[in-house]
Amino acid sequence: MNILVINCGSSSLKYQLIDMAKEEVLAKGLVERIGIEGSVIKHETMGKEEVKIQEEMKDHKRALELVLSSLTNKDYGAVESLDAIDAVGHRVVHGGEAFADSVIINDEVMKAINDNVEIAPLHNPPNIMGIEACSELMKDVPQVAVFDTAFHQTMPEKNYIYGLPYEYYEKYKVRRYGFHGTSHKYVTEKAAELLNKPVNEVNLITCHLGNGSSITAVENGKSMDSSMGFTPLEGLVMGTRTGNLDPAIITFLMEKENLNPEEMSNLMNKKSGVLGISGVSSDFRDLEDAAKDNHRAQLALDIFESNVRKFIGAYFATLDHVDAIVFTAGVGENSISMRASIVEGLKNLGLKIDDKRNDIRGKAQEISAGDSSVKIFVIPTNEELMIAKETLALTQK
Ligand code: ADP
């Protein structure tokens, strides 16, 4: 059974075709600049050379047409025809309160995803475009929606209601949702395997540290609390997002700088975080390179490290015990120095890293010292495989 996994952004489309019998990627690619001049698709079938095709793509439907023709191309494709694609799994950012699990897409599901556009105006519209394009071009192939928010629907009320008048929860569903759920769920299952325990018996603090970052407290395999909120802007300082702020700063800056809501949102989502602090880059590799002789680059790294530590500390206080801390995503999987300094700062909780074990990138491994109070793991995330597994489970039923 081959599953196509689709992740649509406003001007991009990432895809992987996965053979589920072997859990093996057959082909993958990325389309960029959809609807903008200079659209391009980079496609790679495993074992063959990567191809780059520059062609104008006015919308996601045109992009998907090129993806499907690349996948079936005689020379650089992965399958003979579209009949070899059995199902499509779509990443959908915001499921709101309507979805605590992945679902097979039908008209009712589309309506619910559309209803969530109001609370996810930046994220759900491109996901919807991807689903519509697939439904048109692959009429008889089942489509599944896998939501970033679904894993967090187990959060108790006390962790998702904000200190606002309750009527705004009732009227507009303003509450914490939590994101990166597919990744937190994936590493939770992997951590349970490494701990040799059933997943519904593990308590974890999972740290997804990438361009966007979030930390989740997992109790008995379920999300209990998470750092992202109503949108993926809350929580840790990120590549370009503010993370937590005193909310009063928002109205203050809007007045002082004469910003409208859209401009303020853009500032908080695209120009802030470690990029805004450092003035150098949102990329942690650039910051690590610049930090030696650039105070603000070092400051950005210090603030990020301190943010991560505070959330880990808070979730130690939330959970009644912790079996393991997990680091995942770009920074969590690859930054040896960031992991070391986060754990060093937590030594008063008895946490200890083993420098030799920590000297790895992108590999699932325990990195804690033998006498650490809690085990610490690096687990590379694989959101595409998780989406494919959920799609398989639903379409096989
Ligand atoms: P996203 O999927 O949200 O775009 P990723 O999980 O791919 O993000 O993470 C991207 C981040 O990971 C970038 O900031 C990048 O600098 C960082 N990263 C990747 N490799 C390394 C490395 N070797 N050392 C430090 N940071 C790294």
Side-chain angles (χ1 to χ4, degrees), residues 24-325:
E24 203 174 87
V25 177
L26 299 175
K28 63 179 180 182
L30 168 66
V31 190
E32 288 174 295
R33 304 185 65 85
I34 301 170
I36 310 173
E37 208 187 310
S39 331
V40 60
I41 168 170
K42 286 180 206 145
H43 170 90
E44 187 187 358
T45 292
M46 299 306 128
K48 294 181 186 175
E49 204 135 300
E50 188 188 85
V51 288
K52 190 170 157 184
I53 308 159
Q54 255 157 330
E55 191 179 315
E56 287 322 298
M57 294 172 234
K58 64 174 176 20
D59 54 22
H60 286 73
K61 187 179 165 205
R62 181 67 198 135
L64 193 72
E65 277 171 1
L66 283 176
V67 168
L68 298 179
S69 80
S70 299
L71 286 168
T72 52
N73 184 281
K74 269 210 306 297
D75 300 321
Y76 52 81
V79 288
E80 272 185 20
S81 76
L82 290 182
D83 293 342
I85 300 175
D86 301 290
V88 184
H90 294 269
R91 176 192 182 205
V92 182
V93 173
H94 217 312
E97 285 189 326
F99 300 104
D101 271 309
S102 305
V103 281
I104 295 197
I105 297 170
N106 56 27
D107 291 346
E108 209 180 313
V109 167
M110 280 311 276
K111 187 183 171 305
I113 297 173
N114 267 301
D115 287 345
N116 285 329
V117 166
E118 199 179 39
I119 54 173
L122 300 178
H123 299 94
N124 277 20
N127 302 150
I128 292 169
M129 287 189 272
I131 296 171
E132 285 174 347
C134 275
S135 314
E136 255 185 73
L137 298 170
M138 304 169 81
K139 279 203 175 55
D140 300 322
V141 180
Q143 319 265 335
V144 168
V146 179
F147 302 93
D148 270 29
T149 48
F151 181 61
H152 300 297
Q153 279 295 302
T154 49
M155 273 194 284
E157 207 178 11
K158 65 178 177 191
N159 291 341
Y160 70 70
I161 293 292
Y162 287 115
L164 283 166
Y166 195 78
E167 67 188 90
Y168 298 120
Y169 168 59
E170 295 173 312
K171 256 165 108 174
Y172 307 121
K173 296 285 174 215
V174 173
R175 51 158 284 179
R176 174 183 312 288
Y177 290 96
F179 296 84
H180 289 144
T182 311
S183 175
H184 289 292
K185 185 176 180 181
Y186 178 83
V187 298
T188 294
E189 290 180 3
K190 285 279 162 197
E193 282 172 28
L194 291 173
L195 289 162
N196 218 355
K197 274 182 138 184
V199 70
N200 61 4
E201 286 178 19
V202 294
N203 279 18
L204 306 167
I205 299 173
T206 52
C207 309
H208 178 109
L209 311 178
N211 204 9
S213 296
S214 66
I215 303 192
T216 296
V218 174
E219 186 178 67
N220 298 323
K222 295 197 166 89
S223 174
M224 155 85 176
D225 204 352
S226 198
S227 61
M228 282 180 167
F230 177 57
T231 72
L233 186 55
E234 195 187 345
L236 302 156
V237 147
M238 305 178 213
T240 61
R241 292 176 229 165
T242 57
N244 290 347
L245 287 178
D246 178 343
I249 295 170
I250 299 167
T251 43
F252 177 85
L253 281 182
M254 286 174 79
E255 269 180 33
K256 287 281 178 200
E257 296 276 312
N258 200 15
L259 301 172
N260 66 32
E262 198 187 332
E263 289 163 336
M264 190 63 210
S265 168
N266 192 44
L267 186 153
M268 293 188 293
N269 278 289
K270 305 258 170 75
K271 297 184 187 159
S272 300
V274 293
L275 169 69
I277 297 165
S278 68
V280 171
S281 174
S282 64
D283 191 304
F284 280 72
R285 285 165 292 200
D286 298 341
L287 295 173
E288 288 178 6
D289 289 344
K292 286 175 263 345
D293 46 23
N294 182 318
H295 167 71
R296 276 167 51 192
Q298 184 59 54
L299 178 64
L301 292 170
D302 290 347
I303 292 172
F304 182 77
E305 180 255 314
S306 163
N307 272 214
V308 173
R309 231 159 11 97
K310 284 183 199 168
F311 269 102
I312 294 178
Y315 292 159
F316 258 98
T318 304
L319 297 164
D320 73 7
H321 75 275
V322 178
D323 294 305
I325 293 174

